[in-house]
Amino acid sequence: GVIFSNLANRCASKGLAGLEWAATVPGTIGGAVYGNAGAFGGDMSGNLIWAELLTKNGREKFSVEQMGYGYRASLLKRGELKAIVLSAEFSLTNSTKEDATVKIQQFSAHRKTTQPPGASMGSMFKNPAGDYAGRLIEVSGLKGTRIGNAEVSPLHGNFFVNHGATRAEDIRKLVQLVQKTVKDDRVEQAVAMFDASESFLHAGDGQKFLDTVAALAPTGTTLVVGSTERFAATVIDAIVACVALF
């Protein structure tokens, strides 16, 4: 998929404004549409016109109103609709390359001084109403806590840093430790985690994964994979690797 920050910078280079907030957001456009990504006062719900989704009925266009957006939430993320994001159209405004670029530079400078460098998955928890997840984690004394190669950033408590070859289980344990220690039901996980004991995303159930994808694909689509187990294992590796990619 298209990297969202790349698109934001390309728009700015052409004098198109509206996505400057996304220039420092990690991940793809599909992920941003799925989770209503946002930063610096902007979010997907403020720019999206429509998203093209692959549902059990085939290709369908959903307007921004139909996406059921809320704070870092959508009908997709809530599980109200099973679909794959194929494309999206955004609302932008005419500006100048200079103005759009300056705004991106300002956002980038702010992020560099307040958020850790290196590999992370961005904000791990949603901000509860009237408070900040990072503050709650900090006052709980968890900044700098480390399990394996995963660490709660000493700079920003809501960022989990990957110090190299971090295991998904380390991230999960760190998330669970934070949830248990903070003891605030308002702190809700922002990053999706896949449980191999409950999900089809593990090698033993590779066929279930293919069956799910096939159920979403248009009639007549053929999925050919040499080994369903190897394919499922590759998907898991990709999920774990996303920690390093960001």
Side-chain angles (χ1 to χ4, degrees):
V2 176
I3 301 300
F4 204 9
S5 58
N6 290 350
L7 176 64
N9 281 286
R10 287 171 59 190
C11 289
S13 71
K14 296 181 181 298
L16 297 173
L19 291 180
E20 294 91 336
W21 61 266
T24 59
V25 173
T28 64
I29 291 175
V33 170
Y34 172 88
N36 191 22
F40 301 110
D43 61 19
M44 182 58 66
S45 67
N47 288 105
L48 185 71
I49 297 176
W50 54 258
E52 184 182 24
L53 307 180
L54 179 61
T55 72
K56 63 181 181 180
N57 299 318
R59 291 174 177 261
E60 296 186 77
K61 284 187 177 181
F62 281 67
S63 68
V64 63
E65 293 80 12
Q66 291 175 301
M67 292 298 295
Y69 280 140
Y71 174 60
R72 303 298 180 266
S74 71
L75 84 168
L76 296 176
K77 195 169 184 178
R78 289 189 296 270
E80 298 169 13
L81 175 70
K82 292 184 178 180
I84 298 172
V85 180
L86 299 178
S87 63
E89 182 173 307
F90 303 110
S91 173
L92 303 174
T93 58
N94 288 318
S95 181
T96 66
K97 175 181 177 180
E98 292 72 23
D99 287 346
T101 301
V102 166
K103 186 174 290 188
I104 287 177
Q105 292 172 342
Q106 292 172 341
F107 288 156
S108 298
H110 176 76
R111 178 150 287 190
K112 287 179 181 178
T113 60
T114 59
Q115 297 178 6
S120 78
M121 291 188 288
S123 296
M124 182 60 71
F125 297 95
K126 297 178 182 179
N127 290 322
D131 210 336
Y132 296 94
R135 188 196 71 80
L136 293 171
I137 294 170
E138 180 175 359
V139 299
S140 297
L142 291 168
K143 291 174 78 173
T145 300
R146 182 165 175 165
I147 295 179
N149 282 331
E151 179 188 36
V152 177
S153 169
L155 179 62
H156 193 307
N158 202 19
F159 280 70
F160 288 12
V161 178
N162 172 11
H163 288 289
T166 298
R167 299 173 62 249
E169 185 60 23
D170 294 337
I171 296 289
R172 183 186 301 280
K173 288 180 178 178
L174 202 54
V175 166
Q176 292 171 341
L177 175 63
V178 169
Q179 290 173 324
K180 180 179 179 180
T181 306
V182 172
K183 296 179 180 177
D184 192 322
D185 293 337
R186 298 176 303 158
V187 179
E188 181 184 352
Q189 213 172 304
V191 177
M193 300 286 284
F194 295 89
D195 189 340
S197 65
E198 299 176 1
S199 169
F200 50 73
L201 287 178
H202 62 93
D205 283 344
Q207 188 59 51
K208 289 185 180 180
F209 179 79
L210 291 181
D211 291 344
T212 301
V213 175
L216 292 173
T219 302
T221 300
T222 301
L223 298 174
V224 179
V225 179
S227 167
T228 56
E229 287 77 13
R230 186 172 67 251
F231 180 66
T234 300
V235 172
I236 296 174
D237 290 342
I239 293 170
V240 176
C242 76
V243 180
L245 290 177
F246 293 148

